[in-house]
Amino acid sequence: MVNNLAELTDFDVRVQYEPAPIFIKDQDKLEKAVQETAEKYKSLIVTEDTAKSVKNSRAKLNDIKTKLNKKRIDIHNDYDEPYLKFKSDVDSLISEIDAVIYPIDRGLKELKDQQHQQRLEEVKAIIAESAPNYDVDPSEVEIDSSWLTESITKKKRLDGIIGAIVFIQKEQETLKQNIIAIKDYADTLNIEADGWIQQIKMGQSLNDVMQSMKSAVDRKAKQEEARKAVQSIKTTQHNDVTVDSNGEIVSETVYTTTLKLTGKNVEAFNNLKDYIESYGLKFEVIDKMHKEVINHE
């Protein structure tokens, strides 16, 4: 089969083709007659008197045109006949060759697919073996199409896979450190860290997230200040009575209790007074402090 193919490859495709000349007999006389006729009728004016003769002239001209066109078609068909036979012969030969090429193409494609699948399995095996050594889940390693090419060397492919695994390992370590930093910063700001950690996991930079955390805390503090300011404007104390901005008395609930304090240290009473006032409690003296002597028998 190989020898036959070599013979076919070396075979020189030769075609015998002798184009025949095509010309119109007495073409000069015919061209002159056409030109004279065209010149004669070029400035023709059609009237009722000349209509009949003009129609006859038009019929003669159409007859000449039809004859010329028919000759052209006949010659064309005569020329096409050997060409169509030649084309049919060539198409038949090409079809026979295609019938051989098709299974070859299919076989080569199947082999190429098998080799590609084999390289893919080899890459997966390398990832499965190497990734755990770097505390990386093999499923997190995305396979690069360049690792599956026919031309890549085994060393270059291995270097590429290990490089991708190391890159993932560094990213994971950076993520861990960033999460720790976010937790510590959240403790400093006295806020929850979960939402901010999620932003870190989604790819936000540590600096951007920390700035957002600080901005959120500052914004909340300003909102609280504004709320208190508005509240202080809405309510005002008048003679121990709280009224709002419309002058309406704001109802309040107060509690009252009576204590009798006894002690030996007068300064302790003064300290207690300051302590009570620090909590916003009011008090009044029902009975002035008096001294009492107690005899112990």
Side-chain angles (χ1 to χ4, degrees):
M1 177 179 178
V2 176
N3 291 336
N4 292 339
L5 181 59
E7 291 176 5
L8 180 60
T9 304
D10 296 335
F11 190 82
D12 184 18
V13 179
R14 291 171 292 180
V15 177
Q16 184 175 346
Y17 171 59
E18 297 177 0
I22 303 175
F23 58 89
I24 301 173
K25 290 182 179 181
D26 298 325
Q27 183 172 348
D28 294 342
K29 293 180 180 180
L30 181 59
E31 286 180 353
K32 184 178 180 181
V34 169
Q35 291 171 0
E36 289 177 352
T37 303
E39 187 66 27
K40 178 180 178 181
Y41 291 100
K42 185 166 59 176
S43 57
L44 180 65
I45 298 175
V46 180
T47 65
E48 290 183 2
D49 295 335
T50 63
K52 186 176 180 180
S53 63
V54 167
K55 288 180 181 179
N56 290 333
S57 299
R58 183 185 65 180
K60 291 177 181 180
L61 290 171
N62 281 331
D63 183 58
I64 295 172
K65 184 177 75 171
T66 300
K67 288 178 179 178
L68 286 170
N69 198 44
K70 185 177 182 304
K71 282 294 181 182
R72 179 188 63 79
I73 293 173
D74 290 343
I75 295 298
H76 190 186
N77 290 337
D78 288 343
Y79 259 73
D80 277 353
E81 185 176 347
Y83 167 75
L84 293 175
K85 174 64 171 61
F86 169 73
K87 181 178 182 301
S88 176
D89 293 340
V90 171
D91 289 345
S92 177
L93 291 171
I94 290 176
S95 295
E96 290 184 34
I97 295 173
D98 283 341
V100 178
I101 291 176
Y102 175 73
I104 293 175
D105 285 345
R106 184 176 58 189
L108 289 173
K109 184 179 183 306
E110 290 175 355
L111 177 61
K112 184 178 180 180
D113 291 342
Q114 291 172 4
Q115 291 173 339
H116 182 275
Q117 186 62 33
Q118 182 180 352
R119 289 192 294 271
L120 177 60
E121 295 303 324
E122 290 174 356
V123 167
K124 287 182 178 180
I126 294 173
I127 292 173
E129 181 182 354
S130 303
N133 297 333
Y134 298 86
D135 295 327
V136 173
D137 188 339
S139 64
E140 295 182 13
V141 182
E142 184 177 349
I143 295 177
D144 193 314
S145 60
S146 66
W147 303 341
L148 306 177
T149 57
E150 229 177 316
S151 58
I152 191 171
T153 64
K154 290 186 177 181
K155 182 180 184 305
K156 187 174 182 180
R157 182 173 62 183
L158 179 61
D159 291 344
I161 294 172
I162 298 301
I165 294 173
V166 171
F167 179 78
I168 295 173
Q169 180 195 41
K170 290 180 179 179
E171 279 194 329
Q172 291 178 343
E173 185 60 31
T174 300
L175 178 61
K176 289 179 183 178
Q177 295 302 322
N178 287 348
I179 289 175
I180 292 173
I182 290 296
K183 287 181 178 179
D184 292 343
Y185 194 50
D187 290 342
T188 302
L189 298 176
N190 196 26
I191 60 175
E192 292 292 332
D194 293 345
W196 305 107
I197 290 175
Q198 191 60 32
Q199 290 190 26
I200 285 290
K201 290 181 178 180
M202 291 173 65
Q204 293 267 2
S205 71
L206 177 63
N207 186 56
D208 288 345
V209 174
M210 283 186 164
Q211 287 183 358
S212 297
M213 293 169 71
K214 183 65 168 58
S215 298
V217 171
D218 292 343
R219 185 167 56 252
K220 186 175 181 180
K222 290 179 180 179
Q223 289 173 347
E224 181 62 19
E225 290 178 5
R227 187 191 67 78
K228 289 181 178 180
V230 171
Q231 186 63 29
S232 66
I233 294 173
K234 288 183 177 180
T235 58
T236 311
Q237 291 290 123
H238 292 284
N239 299 325
D240 295 334
V241 177
T242 303
V243 297
D244 59 19
S245 57
N246 296 322
E248 300 291 335
I249 297 176
V250 178
S251 60
E252 295 177 312
T253 300
V254 296
Y255 300 92
T256 303
T257 185
T258 302
L259 298 175
K260 181 179 180 181
L261 302 176
T262 302
K264 297 179 180 180
N265 189 341
V266 175
E267 186 178 354
F269 282 89
N270 293 328
N271 291 338
L272 179 61
K273 170 179 173 295
D274 294 338
Y275 181 77
I276 291 173
E277 287 179 340
S278 69
Y279 275 87
L281 300 175
K282 297 180 180 180
F283 66 90
E284 58 180 312
V285 178
I286 303 300
D287 188 11
K288 291 184 178 181
M289 185 185 299
H290 61 277
K291 185 164 51 175
E292 181 179 349
V293 178
I294 299 177
N295 294 321
H296 297 281
E297 297 180 357

